[in-house]
Amino acid sequence: MVIVTLQREKCIGCNYCAEFAPEYFRMSKKDGKSVLLKTTDKKGFYTLKTTDTEAFEPLDRAAKACPVKIISVRLT
């Protein structure tokens, strides 16, 4: 299982996550910040769990490219 978490409030809107993992991230037209798709907010943390292990590579690239390091990805 792949678990990815986004701390959206700290997002600076650089768009790297949406470039590296467009299936999972979009940039909000409302405030210009990243949105982790198919998640709900839990005190500013957005978490997605998927059994698709192929998701790890693009999500990991997105996390490594993030200049403010607000994306975490784990493979369990």
Side-chain angles (χ1 to χ4, degrees):
M1 178 170 294
V2 178
I3 302 170
V4 59
T5 303
L6 169 70
Q7 295 178 45
R8 190 172 188 280
E9 299 302 316
K10 296 180 180 181
C11 180
I12 61 170
C14 71
N15 197 44
Y16 286 139
C17 56
E19 287 182 32
F20 285 110
E23 317 74 37
Y24 301 98
F25 291 98
R26 295 279 187 275
M27 300 309 290
S28 171
K29 291 180 182 175
K30 187 175 181 179
D31 63 7
K33 293 184 177 189
S34 178
V35 175
L36 181 57
L37 302 175
K38 300 178 186 167
T39 62
T40 54
D41 179 20
K42 225 179 218 182
K43 297 185 179 180
F45 289 84
Y46 294 79
T47 302
L48 171 69
K49 296 178 182 180
T50 180
T51 55
D52 181 8
T53 55
E54 291 182 16
F56 180 77
E57 188 178 328
L59 289 168
D60 189 53
R61 277 189 270 135
K64 288 178 179 173
C66 180
V68 287
K69 305 298 181 204
I70 60 169
I71 303 169
S72 68
V73 182
R74 298 191 321 261
L75 187 60
T76 59

